[in-house]
Amino acid sequence: MSLSLEEVKRIAHLARIEISDAEAVQTQGQLNDIFCLIEGMRAVDTEGIEPMSHAQDLMLRLREDAVTESDQHRLFQSVAPQVEGGLYLVPKVIE
Amino acid sequence: MINASLKELSAALATKRISSVELTSLFLDRIDKLNGELNAFITVDPDKSLTLAADADARIAKGDQAPLTGIPVAHKDIFCTKGWLTTCGSRMLANFTSPYSAHVIERFGAAGAVILGKTNMDEFAMGSSTETSFYGPVRNPWDRAFVPGGSSGGSACAVAARLAPAATATDTGGSIRQPAALTGITGLKPTYGVVSRYGMIAFASSLDQGGPMGRSAEDAAMLLNVMAGFDERDSTSLEREAEDYTRDLDRPWEGVSAGRPLSGLRIGIPKEHFGEGLSSDVAQTVDAAVAQFEKLGAKRVGISLPNSGLSVPAYYVIAPAEASSNLSRFDGVRYGYRASEYRDLLDMYCKTRAQGFGAEVKRRILIGTYVLSHGYYDAYYLKAQRIRRLIAQDFVEAFKQCDVVMGPISPTVAFRIGAKASDPVQMYLNDIYTIPANLAGLPGMSIPCGFGENNLPVGLHIVGNYFSEARMLAVAHQYQRATDWHRRMPAGV
Amino acid sequence: MLTMDWETVIGLEIHAQLSTTSKMFSGASTQFGAAANAQACAVDIALPGVLPVANKTAVERAIRFGLAVNGNSADNISRRSIFARKSYFYPDLPKGYQISQYELPIIKGGTIPIVLKDGQKRAIRLTRAHLEEDAGKSLHEDFHGMSGIDLNRAGTPLLEIVSEPDMRSGEEAVAYAKAVHSLVRWIDICDGNMQEGSFRCDANVSVRPKGSETLGTRREIKNLNSFRFLQQAIEYEAKWQIETIRDGGTIHQATVLFNPDTGETRAMRSKEDAHDYRYFPDPDLLPLEISDQWIDEVKRSMPDLPSQKFRRFTDELALAPSTAAVIISDRYLSEYFEAAIKDAPREVIRQSANWIAVSTNAKLNERGISITQAPVNPQQFRELIDRIADGTISGKSAKEVDDAMWAGEGTAGEIIERRGLKQISDSGALEAIVAQVIAANPKSVEEYRAGKDKAFNALVGQAMKATRGKGNPAQINEILKKKLAG
């Protein structure tokens, strides 16, 4: 698997990480090295093997439907970059 | 005092030979003296620590002392700590004073332990050398020119340099065990699900586990007693009866006492972990350690973990995939770094994340984004999860023939700072022995077993079956009763 | 008309907010109308290190829905379903991903029966329904050129209900949406409040030449929050697509917004190529397993479904279908009816049904309230009907009594007493009055005997006048007939 520069830029956009052309070239090289490492596993026959997502074969624990949280917005917003009127401010969202 | 065990410290506090305030001050002074050079701590706040110490002294005076009451503990800066800066080694959180505490931090608080400070780490736990930290590299106390390992390099250094008697850390691909090995201390990664991940900033959700770092298996067991336990706020936290991880420490393996306390113990030695790539100094030291176990009565059994070689590729698909998703919340909107200049919303996201994250984190996010993207999910992520099952199955088979698996932690002893920084793949290959336990969710630990090239520490890897931590700690403890590697102290600290 | 060559194909995605107290994955409140971010806890704002824990009642609500759309059979309920992360960046999506369900949703399949205006019946198929969490809200009021984000809504449990593209007109789509709306309220899983955003419809619209088997490219109209807009938007969009194709253009997949002021649909400006959501199972959550035992418990606690009640009302109780349809349009109305007719004879049942379907319903609509808020309870209502059936009051007086009951003047008995509305049903008294009327109106008697039926009514009218309107008309009729015959 070898990534083109276009693909590097596309993924960077998907991940919302700005990347200059120079950075893209360097990253492309490094990512392709990493993909060489990963390629090794693709050749292995895993026919009939179930994917494993967790160590234990458990089922989801469910929570009783009850309000357990109180209003802490002042505390939480004390670490926010920009807040006004209790709202988080961001550059205008264009529909 | 700086070389006392946790049990000894607890006794000293109980008999008032020392107060928590005095003990905490002792370590704070050492940090003050040595941290500038070693860079093990990102945040130290003497006022806060001493206030907690005073509280602990009051509690002890009332006769309400738990094993860790009054004992200063350093916490990897990945654990959200209310009122403390919690940076995860990243510029992205360099301004983040956490409004809440992780479950692990709450448990130490309930036990009356003292928060000594927040330790340095690879950014977002991604690294094996603590060189990717926004706060600069941590230095190995055994030789300042060398790395302490990572990602929990700060915690490992703190314990090894006696800047803290104990520390917390996390392990996703080896981040407790490898730095423990490279700095000559004891570190344990529990079975997945034993320690709550609530408040432990997520890297790879299905692999991350918090665990203790200390100077002995006994200390690690006491720390694990505080850290482990069900937390309803973590859906992957296991609901099990509470365990006392110190309970087996002095028990011989099969109930036959004294001379050969590990008689009956079968140690699996995977042939795949002793092949090419393992440096000879490490191989010899580990082999000698196993021989020591045999002197204690254990039997060496040759085993095979045939899919071992696939663990690194599988890990470098699964971990970045989960990380890319876990790190999407860092967008400059609700907390953390926000770029100072941007044209619009899209630009704000892209600049914030480009500036807030370091190069290794960005690389892994890109890999993760790619392997999850449309058309590649089956070939990469799903494939890696199948290989994960193969690796777990290898251990299931292995544990039919042995009780614990032992081997090296790292292919080499610590390397020089900067030696592997420009080659990510070289760095990734460091994790080759530790990753399988994370993929399988098995408990693993590292204990010091000697020294290798440049007189740098070598660690022995012990992997046990699910939920066998107490037995593993017992095995390690018997080794530490018969040897003194774990008592060695680096020069100049 | 040129449009007759074309067929419109519509599928609906409905997001129903489940009526839970707390959020899908956190313990924050879901109550509507709180101050900005007062109900956004650490998990909802995605602080570093927080984790999701799933809400049991939200799952129970989904199970109810699964049973309700499958005739109470559970074979469309996945015993094992998976929560997946759906990734995209948006300020109202704090984690940068939404926890939803992808490959293994909790509900697979089901049908929603609809009845069109012309009486035609259709069964719209469901593709699936799955659990997910809602996003927060972007407020676009100008904060110095910025948007304000309120995360109170973030994490609210949603059931996303996806239909097959089975609908062929705006009318059908609305009938379907209304049927789903009615059903989710019936089984108490969603309050259906469209103004508050508890029930939101997205329509996928495409067109194709009539007779074609392949589907055209569809555009998705988002966030339609009224049935009227739903129909308008679909009709406009279909027309626009047909005209576009006819003019030689092609339809590109797009997300589209409806402007209620202009009645037009318009593709969203910031359109990128179709999102790559990078779905993968959420590693913070384990597979959701639902036992047969749990399903049985839910089944037992389910109310009868509208279709079941309809059958019982028309088959067993012999109500007219149109009357039954009105009564089952609201679950609480049907329960009101059932409570009122307990142990009632056939005639009382019939009268009650008609009364509720017409009079009670009108009063509810007038006052804009639901039956649960009505000032007259089923037992009080029953008393009124009993008094009609046993002749205590005439049908005309009954209306007056009913109005008085709704105005809070008391029970039927009290009002009848107080206002002296009792009909005269004493046969002795009535015989006497009828005899007087016959004696006083010989001309009418003669005309009646000569065959003029109108004369009979005149005599009845005289008798009613003599009783000051309180005579029991049926009895007067009977007595008069007897006397005139003999």
Side-chain angles (χ1 to χ4, degrees):
Chain A
M1 186 70 247
S2 192
L3 290 179
S4 70
L5 213 52
E6 262 319 295
E7 280 180 300
V8 174
K9 293 197 182 153
R10 180 182 68 88
I11 302 167
H13 176 70
L14 265 183
R16 296 300 187 268
I17 298 177
E18 181 181 74
I19 187 167
S20 70
D21 285 345
E23 283 168 328
V25 172
Q26 195 195 26
T27 306
Q28 179 192 26
Q30 290 166 340
L31 292 183
N32 282 331
D33 285 345
I34 297 168
F35 277 108
C36 272
L37 173 68
I38 294 173
E39 280 318 298
M41 75 164 191
R42 297 195 54 201
V44 177
D45 180 20
T46 52
E47 185 70 42
I49 309 286
E50 273 300 294
M52 175 174 165
S53 55
H54 290 98
Q56 324 290 336
D57 190 23
L58 292 168
M59 48 178 251
L60 185 64
R61 179 171 33 88
L62 296 171
R63 174 180 60 86
E64 288 305 311
D65 180 30
V67 174
T68 55
E69 299 296 325
S70 58
D71 178 6
Q72 288 190 277
H73 82 274
R74 255 176 276 277
L75 172 62
F76 294 150
Q77 289 181 352
S78 66
V79 296
Q82 230 185 323
V83 163
E84 188 173 307
L87 296 164
Y88 292 99
L89 294 192
V90 295
K92 218 164 170 69
V93 173
I94 307 160
E95 285 285 286
Chain B
M1 273 288 138
I2 63 170
N3 278 313
S5 71
L6 294 181
K7 218 159 83 174
E8 286 164 350
L9 288 178
S10 186
L13 288 166
T15 56
K16 311 260 188 317
R17 235 181 328 129
I18 192 171
S19 70
S20 176
V21 168
E22 287 165 334
L23 184 60
T24 304
S25 302
L26 177 64
F27 286 103
L28 285 170
D29 288 343
R30 288 185 60 75
I31 294 168
D32 195 47
K33 203 175 84 185
L34 293 163
N35 194 52
E37 212 194 311
L38 295 173
N39 205 21
F41 284 84
I42 294 174
T43 301
V44 182
D45 189 330
D47 284 342
K48 285 215 209 23
S49 300
L50 292 170
T51 304
L52 291 168
D55 289 345
D57 283 329
R59 185 173 152 172
I60 293 171
K62 269 199 306 196
D64 176 26
Q65 182 185 11
L68 288 186
T69 305
I71 300 200
V73 177
H75 295 289
K76 184 173 181 180
D77 210 14
I78 199 171
F79 290 101
C80 287
T81 310
K82 184 168 181 171
W84 289 70
L85 203 59
T86 299
T87 69
C88 221
S90 180
R91 185 185 196 190
M92 192 58 94
L93 291 176
N95 66 354
F96 180 67
T97 299
S98 182
Y100 81 107
S101 278
H103 182 78
V104 163
I105 299 294
E106 284 180 346
R107 288 185 72 107
F108 275 103
V114 173
I115 300 172
L116 187 56
K118 306 301 289 298
T119 60
N120 203 351
M121 52 182 283
D122 276 308
E123 186 183 4
F124 283 105
M126 299 186 201
S128 313
S129 62
T130 316
E131 289 177 285
T132 69
S133 171
F134 175 63
Y135 296 91
V138 174
R139 294 173 181 284
N140 194 318
W142 295 88
D143 189 327
R144 293 1 178 212
F146 288 77
V147 302
S151 62
S152 312
S155 284
C157 173
V159 172
R162 278 63 173 165
L163 303 183
T168 58
T170 63
D171 189 313
T172 305
S175 292
I176 292 177
R177 294 161 287 158
Q178 187 253 28
L182 269 48
T183 57
I185 62 164
T186 299
L188 180 138
K189 177 202 89 67
T191 308
Y192 183 86
V194 163
V195 172
S196 166
R197 293 185 300 114
Y198 186 78
M200 208 174 93
I201 298 174
F203 161 18
S205 315
S206 74
L207 302 166
D208 295 344
Q209 265 298 277
M213 277 182 154
R215 285 196 321 276
S216 68
E218 186 179 60
D219 283 5
M222 287 176 68
L223 291 164
L224 189 59
N225 275 351
V226 174
M227 294 178 81
F230 174 64
D231 178 13
E232 61 181 14
R233 295 169 297 185
D234 173 359
S235 294
T236 59
S237 172
L238 299 170
E239 254 178 297
R240 302 174 63 239
E241 253 180 64
E243 276 193 59
D244 174 7
Y245 294 100
T246 64
R247 69 183 186 273
D248 286 336
L249 287 175
D250 290 313
R251 285 225 304 254
W253 184 259
E254 271 185 346
V256 180
S257 70
R260 292 161 67 79
L262 296 180
S263 164
L265 175 69
R266 299 165 302 161
I267 300 175
I269 303 292
K271 62 176 197 250
E272 294 82 4
H273 288 195
F274 286 85
E276 203 189 299
L278 180 61
S279 61
S280 55
D281 56 330
V282 173
Q284 278 161 29
T285 314
V286 167
D287 191 65
V290 177
Q292 175 64 53
F293 276 99
E294 286 175 305
K295 275 218 217 93
L296 293 169
K299 281 267 183 310
R300 197 190 286 243
V301 176
I303 61 163
S304 175
L305 297 173
N307 293 289
S308 249
L310 299 172
S311 56
V312 170
Y315 174 83
Y316 280 99
V317 168
I318 295 170
E322 295 181 3
S324 71
S325 176
N326 287 328
L327 268 57
S328 291
R329 66 191 60 198
F330 300 106
D331 57 9
V333 174
R334 300 164 311 290
Y335 50 80
Y337 181 84
R338 179 190 280 196
S340 52
E341 283 169 30
Y342 43 84
R343 295 184 305 269
D344 53 29
L345 180 64
L346 176 62
D347 200 37
M348 187 202 73
Y349 281 153
C350 294
K351 286 196 159 62
T352 294
R353 291 164 62 80
Q355 294 165 14
F357 291 134
E360 181 60 35
V361 168
K362 284 191 276 195
R363 262 194 295 276
R364 297 208 195 184
I365 290 176
L366 293 179
I367 295 173
T369 305
Y370 183 81
V371 301
L372 289 176
S373 66
H374 182 64
Y376 298 106
Y377 173 77
D378 280 14
Y380 288 99
Y381 190 78
L382 223 46
K383 182 82 181 178
Q385 297 280 51
R386 289 187 219 274
I387 289 186
R388 182 176 187 169
R389 189 175 292 281
L390 288 178
I391 289 169
Q393 277 170 4
D394 279 357
F395 279 103
V396 170
E397 285 309 306
F399 285 123
K400 290 180 184 162
Q401 308 169 267
C402 66
D403 303 301
V404 291
V405 172
M406 289 192 189
I409 288 273
S410 178
T412 65
V413 292
F415 44 90
R416 283 185 185 278
I417 293 176
K420 299 198 184 176
S422 58
D423 191 345
V425 172
Q426 272 309 298
M427 193 70 83
Y428 296 168
L429 292 171
N430 274 314
D431 302 328
I432 195 166
Y433 306 121
T434 48
I435 280 176
N438 298 89
L439 290 173
L442 291 166
M445 65 183 295
S446 175
I447 56 173
C449 66
F451 292 87
E453 204 174 298
N454 293 315
N455 282 317
L456 291 166
V458 175
L460 173 73
H461 195 199
I462 304 176
V463 179
N465 212 341
Y466 299 104
F467 308 114
S468 68
E469 290 87 348
R471 298 281 253 168
M472 288 162 65
L473 287 160
V475 167
H477 179 67
Q478 292 300 338
Y479 178 84
Q480 291 179 342
R481 287 181 73 198
T483 60
D484 74 342
W485 301 116
H486 64 291
R487 271 190 276 275
R488 305 289 182 88
M489 191 162 124
V493 295
Chain C
M1 280 238 25
L2 293 168
T3 46
M4 283 197 291
D5 293 332
W6 295 88
E7 179 175 66
T8 308
V9 176
I10 303 151
L12 250 53
E13 277 167 28
I14 291 174
H15 290 89
Q17 273 185 2
L18 297 175
S19 55
T20 58
T21 309
S22 64
K23 298 203 178 165
M24 184 69 226
F25 295 108
S26 82
S29 167
T30 54
Q31 203 156 41
F32 186 80
N37 287 301
Q39 285 172 188
C41 70
V43 173
D44 301 328
I45 66 176
L47 288 179
V50 297
L51 296 169
V53 183
N55 184 324
K56 183 171 186 189
T57 298
V59 177
E60 188 261 356
R61 301 275 190 259
I63 296 173
R64 272 205 234 175
F65 182 81
L67 290 168
V69 298
N70 205 32
N72 255 1
S73 148
D75 58 13
N76 64 337
I77 299 176
S78 301
R79 297 304 195 270
R80 189 168 177 275
S81 63
I82 307 282
F83 285 106
R85 295 185 180 180
K86 177 181 180 179
S87 296
Y88 62 95
F89 284 88
Y90 208 70
D92 67 6
L93 194 68
K95 294 188 289 296
Y97 61 85
Q98 174 195 35
I99 302 179
S100 177
Q101 294 190 298
Y102 183 57
E103 286 174 327
L104 287 179
I106 184 171
I107 306 293
K108 284 203 298 270
T111 48
I112 298 282
I114 61 171
V115 182
L116 301 176
K117 287 201 182 82
D118 62 6
Q120 207 196 133
K121 291 210 200 107
R122 294 202 57 207
I124 305 297
R125 298 167 302 166
L126 294 183
T127 313
R128 52 186 273 156
H130 67 255
L131 287 165
E132 59 183 29
E133 52 175 358
D134 210 345
K137 278 204 185 120
S138 297
L139 300 178
H140 298 287
E141 285 147 47
D142 226 309
F143 291 92
H144 336 289
M146 306 191 80
S147 295
I149 308 295
D150 177 9
L151 296 172
N152 280 345
R153 199 182 67 175
T156 304
L158 296 178
L159 188 68
E160 178 172 336
I161 303 163
V162 183
S163 81
E164 291 285 327
D166 283 355
M167 289 153 274
R168 296 287 173 268
S169 69
E171 190 210 336
E172 281 185 20
V174 168
Y176 166 79
K178 282 187 173 169
V180 175
H181 186 253
S182 176
L183 181 64
V184 298
R185 279 162 41 243
W186 185 284
I187 60 177
D188 248 326
I189 66 169
C190 171
D191 70 16
N193 189 327
M194 292 173 87
Q195 284 92 314
E196 288 180 1
S198 317
F199 191 87
R200 314 190 297 253
C201 302
D202 297 338
N204 287 303
V205 180
S206 65
V207 297
R208 64 185 177 190
K210 248 203 169 69
S212 162
E213 292 283 302
T214 46
L215 292 168
T217 307
R218 62 176 202 222
R219 302 207 318 166
E220 182 181 12
I221 314 173
K222 282 196 90 67
N223 287 337
L224 295 152
N225 63 357
S226 87
F227 297 124
R228 205 177 89 238
F229 293 160
L230 178 64
Q231 186 159 355
Q232 273 185 287
I234 290 171
E235 286 167 357
Y236 178 87
E237 175 67 20
K239 192 156 139 280
W240 179 89
Q241 287 193 17
I242 292 167
E243 279 169 11
T244 302
I245 296 173
R246 192 160 285 146
D247 289 347
T250 26
I251 307 299
H252 302 286
Q253 196 174 14
T255 303
V256 156
L257 290 177
F258 175 69
N259 185 335
D261 299 324
T262 62
E264 297 178 351
T265 56
R266 176 184 54 88
M268 283 169 72
R269 227 181 322 141
S270 59
K271 213 45 222 91
E272 358 176 325
D273 20 350
H275 281 288
D276 183 351
Y277 291 120
R278 307 191 286 293
Y279 285 102
F280 75 106
D282 193 327
D284 287 331
L285 296 165
L286 299 168
L288 174 63
E289 284 183 18
I290 296 171
S291 66
D292 288 339
Q293 189 190 15
W294 191 11
I295 293 176
D296 284 338
E297 274 167 35
V298 176
K299 226 190 260 197
R300 279 196 294 272
S301 75
M302 289 267 283
D304 277 351
L305 297 175
S307 50
Q308 289 170 289
K309 287 210 196 221
F310 185 82
R311 225 173 299 123
R312 192 150 48 82
F313 291 170
T314 51
D315 292 349
E316 289 171 30
L317 303 181
L319 300 187
S322 52
T323 309
V326 175
I327 297 177
I328 62 154
S329 70
D330 179 287
R331 169 174 155 208
Y332 299 106
L333 194 62
S334 68
E335 288 177 357
Y336 186 95
F337 169 68
E338 287 169 324
I341 62 165
K342 205 160 129 62
D343 301 325
R346 187 88 336 163
E347 182 52 27
V348 167
I349 293 176
R350 194 189 62 79
Q351 289 250 30
S352 300
N354 292 336
W355 198 275
I356 287 177
V358 177
S359 177
T360 307
N361 213 22
K363 284 193 158 69
L364 294 175
N365 286 331
E366 223 171 80
R367 287 161 174 71
I369 58 172
S370 83
I371 189 67
T372 51
Q373 300 161 295
V376 177
N377 70 32
Q379 289 69 38
Q380 293 161 338
F381 169 82
R382 168 66 173 275
E383 197 193 334
L384 171 64
I385 304 296
D386 280 343
R387 295 294 80 81
I388 301 172
D390 68 15
T392 306
I393 52 175
S394 68
K396 208 172 89 200
S397 303
K399 233 208 132 289
E400 188 187 327
V401 174
D402 188 39
D403 288 346
M405 284 168 73
W406 276 72
E409 286 182 29
T411 66
E414 288 164 1
I415 294 165
I416 291 169
E417 197 57 48
R418 202 182 311 129
R419 296 196 183 188
L421 294 172
K422 250 199 227 189
Q423 280 189 132
I424 301 175
S425 300
D426 170 4
S427 43
L430 288 178
E431 294 242 359
I433 289 176
V434 169
Q436 278 173 24
V437 164
I438 288 174
N441 293 278
K443 189 151 165 280
S444 296
V445 173
E446 222 177 277
E447 282 177 6
Y448 171 72
R449 290 217 169 107
K452 285 210 176 97
D453 287 326
K454 249 187 14 203
F456 185 85
N457 295 339
L459 289 167
V460 171
Q462 287 300 311
M464 288 302 287
K465 213 166 104 193
T467 62
R468 265 182 302 257
K470 294 227 176 71
N472 184 326
Q475 262 185 284
I476 287 176
N477 254 275
E478 217 188 289
I479 295 170
L480 188 55
K481 266 209 195 94
K482 231 174 53 198
K483 283 201 183 309
L484 290 173

